Each structure stands twice: as structure tokens, then as C-alpha cells.
Amino acid sequence: MHEKVIEGILNGDRRMVARAISLIENQDPNKNKILSEIYPHTGKAYVVGITGAPGAGKSSLVDRYLETLRKQGLTVGVIAVDPTSPFTGGAILGDRIRMQEHALDKDIFIRSMGTRGSLGGLSRATKEAVQVLDAAGKDVIVIETVGVGQSEVDIIKYADSTLVVMTPAGGDSVQTIKAGIMEIADIFIVNKSDLAGADRTVSEIGMMLDLSENNKQWRPPVVRTVTIDSSGIDDMYEAIDKHRTFLMESGNIEKVRKERIRRDVLDLIEYQIKNTVWDQVSGSDEFEELVNQIMSRENDPYSAAAQVLQGVNLDQCKVF
């Protein structure tokens, strides 16, 4: 069955792409085989991450950005990361609703994915879904994050260009300093810039950029947008294109992607070791006894963890 899915992905079959992402989300046993087989066909798509506080208008911005990309003749994949339902485990907001007009476009694939408890607002399955869309031949892949504040810095692990969306008079610029998003933004978008306070927000971002030491090679531009009439969307497209050109010409794109691969391999190793330890330890009488000893202060978590690790057999670590 997985051979059919692989063939479908490489042929850009929407049904097979959707099926593959479902297999990934559900941790199907064939998932790793599929990802391994399609990996040589990845690395061509450009990944754009869009993050920002809830209510900043990220989905509407993505909707308008899709229009611009399609005018350029580019094929697009969209992963809209939503909060996870505590009852079904599925994505509960469904950003696809706000992008419905693109649903019939065969060159746009939109998928909502749940965070599934991931603290970063981006599930482990997100980057694997990016690989599927990449192998399916999408030119640009857009990841729209759930918008949960400081943990949104996770987007830098996935995107080539990261856009931070802010709104006027919302205290967002102050929050940006607190959240550390300043360091991950390649482009700042002041959305709803027809509202009062837009000038002040742009000025505050500019002042923060002046104080930052991260702008020696690339100073993040500040783009004003209004999604109601699509004003500023072309400017946003141009800013992303300029950042892409900068990454290519400076050679930074190779550094960014190499670091991403290094992180991916370490994450996979960590994931398998965690699962192996959990399988051997969870529910065992010995582990429960250690917990009771810690509760009664007869033992401590650090000594207990060392004791557990001594008894773990990593030879049982599952091979992909």
C-alpha cells in the first residue's frame, strides 16, 4: 500500500498527498518508509513561515499571499497549524474555512494540522508534512502557526523565511521584545495598518531593529498590509523574494538547511531513545517504587533517573 502512496506523492496526486499526511499524523507503521523513499525528491520547495499573536489576521494574510503566488504561476502547499481538540485530537479552528476560495485550485494544497500537545505550537508531524508537499512538487510551502506567544519561535526550525505579523495598538511590539520573536523575524508585517496606531507600531519596530545586533547582514523590512483590499500584499511578496535572493547569494541558505538537517537527525535520535525508555519503564513496579521513594524523600529525582538509565536496554531501540 505504501508504494502506491509514494508513487502518488511523486506524481503530485492530491489524494495520496492527503493520505500520506494522515498516516504521518496517526503515526502509521509505514510512515517512516514513505518519508525515507520520498526524501531524495525533497529540498526544492521554499518554505515561508507566518507567525504572530492570535487575531493578527494571519489566515487572511495567507489567503491574499496565495493569490499573488498563483498569479506568478507558482504551486503552493499550505499547512495551517491549529490548536488540537482535547476530544478528537484534530485541529479545531480549521483555517481552510478562511481559504475556501482556493479549495478547487488543483495547484494549491491546504491542510490544517493540530498541535497535538506540542509546546511550540508546531507538531512533530509538521516538518514531515512539509517533506511530503516538497516531494509532491510544490514550489512554495507556507506554514501558518497557531499563534501562542513565546513558543512561536519554533517556526525558525522549519522556515527559510519567517514573517512575524503584528497589528497596531495591540501592544504587540512590546510583546515582541518579551517573546524573543525579534531574533527570528526575517520580515515584519504590520497587518490591519489602516487602523490607528500603525505609524507608531512601525516606528517602534524600527527602533528595536536599530538596537538589535542581528541586522549586520540582513535588516528585516517592515511591510504594511491591509487584507481587506489586498494593499501591501505585493510588497510582502517582494520582501520575501528579496530575502530569498539574499539567502541564495550569501550562501546562508545552505547554512540554514544544514543546521536544520543536523537538528532533524538529533531530534529523531532523541525521539527514538525517549520511546525506548518509556516502553521499558512506564508502568513497571520498579519505576513506581522509585516514584514512591522520591515522594517520601528517601530518594531524589536525579539519582532515580540515573538508576533508571542504568537498567535501560538501548539495543531495543526501534530501527526506522
Side-chain angles (χ1 to χ4, degrees):
M1 178 61 186
H2 67 271
E3 288 89 353
K4 185 178 179 181
V5 174
I6 292 168
E7 182 182 355
I9 292 170
L10 298 181
N11 289 329
D13 186 321
R14 292 169 64 90
R15 287 179 61 252
M16 289 298 110
V17 168
R19 179 165 179 74
I21 294 176
S22 293
L23 293 174
I24 287 168
E25 286 194 292
N26 296 324
Q27 291 296 308
D28 186 272
N30 289 316
K31 181 197 79 168
N32 293 329
K33 175 67 175 175
I34 293 170
L35 292 170
S36 294
E37 290 289 332
I38 67 172
Y39 192 80
H41 303 275
T42 63
K44 301 179 184 70
Y46 194 76
V47 183
V48 176
I50 298 182
T51 187
K58 297 188 295 295
S59 295
S60 299
L61 202 63
V62 171
D63 184 51
R64 295 291 182 257
Y65 181 46
L66 292 182
E67 293 176 2
T68 304
L69 290 171
R70 291 298 295 126
K71 287 177 183 176
Q72 301 296 324
L74 299 170
T75 59
V76 194
V78 180
I79 299 173
V81 184
D82 283 332
T84 297
S85 166
F87 303 105
T88 65
I92 60 176
L93 289 183
D95 282 287
R96 283 175 293 180
I97 295 171
R98 278 159 281 182
M99 305 174 199
Q100 199 61 42
E101 63 184 89
H102 301 293
L104 298 178
D105 188 334
K106 63 180 180 63
D107 289 318
I108 294 180
F109 182 92
I110 301 171
R111 178 66 173 248
S112 291
M113 298 181 70
T115 55
R116 304 211 170 191
S118 174
L119 292 176
L122 293 172
S123 72
R124 172 184 165 75
T126 302
K127 64 183 174 185
E128 295 171 343
V130 168
Q131 291 178 22
V132 171
L133 292 172
D134 191 352
K138 297 304 180 189
D139 298 312
V140 179
I141 299 171
V142 180
I143 304 174
E144 181 204 333
T145 71
V146 66
V148 290
Q150 186 163 354
S151 55
E152 288 303 84
V153 296
D154 255 19
I155 189 64
I156 199 173
K157 298 177 183 178
Y158 304 78
D160 297 314
S161 292
T162 300
L163 281 62
V164 173
V165 184
M166 304 166 70
T167 55
D172 281 337
S173 50
V174 176
Q175 182 62 28
T176 299
I177 300 174
K178 294 179 182 177
I181 291 180
M182 200 73 199
E183 285 71 26
I184 69 158
D186 297 309
I187 299 163
F188 283 99
I189 305 295
V190 179
N191 196 26
K192 306 179 184 179
S193 60
D194 54 334
L195 299 178
D199 291 342
R200 178 181 174 184
T201 301
V202 171
S203 294
E204 288 179 348
I205 295 171
M207 286 189 288
M208 289 188 290
L209 289 171
D210 289 339
L211 295 172
S212 175
E213 297 180 355
N214 298 327
N215 306 321
K216 293 178 181 177
Q217 287 187 296
W218 172 263
R219 180 184 172 95
V222 184
V223 180
R224 300 176 184 232
T225 59
V226 181
T227 55
I228 295 175
D229 60 6
S230 296
S231 65
I233 302 300
D234 287 343
D235 294 336
M236 184 179 89
Y237 174 85
E238 289 177 12
I240 296 170
D241 194 51
K242 284 180 180 178
H243 184 247
R244 180 176 186 171
T245 300
F246 160 74
L247 290 176
M248 297 293 186
E249 292 181 350
S250 65
N252 284 359
I253 190 73
E254 295 298 324
K255 295 177 184 177
V256 168
R257 292 184 173 179
K258 186 174 182 179
E259 179 57 32
R260 188 176 302 153
I261 290 171
R262 180 182 287 110
R263 193 185 299 117
D264 284 348
V265 174
L266 290 174
D267 284 348
L268 287 168
I269 293 169
E270 181 183 358
Y271 178 75
Q272 290 300 333
I273 291 175
K274 276 183 177 179
N275 280 351
T276 301
V277 173
W278 182 252
D279 289 344
Q280 294 180 34
V281 170
S282 178
S284 69
D285 293 337
E286 293 82 0
F287 185 67
E288 290 305 312
E289 177 59 29
L290 281 174
V291 172
N292 290 332
Q293 289 175 8
I294 295 169
M295 282 288 292
S296 61
R297 298 303 189 269
E298 296 173 24
N299 203 339
D300 63 86
Y302 312 98
S303 301
Q307 189 175 332
V308 167
L309 286 174
Q310 286 175 357
V312 170
N313 181 11
L314 289 180
D315 289 339
Q316 296 181 17
C317 196
K318 295 176 183 177
V319 179
F320 287 104

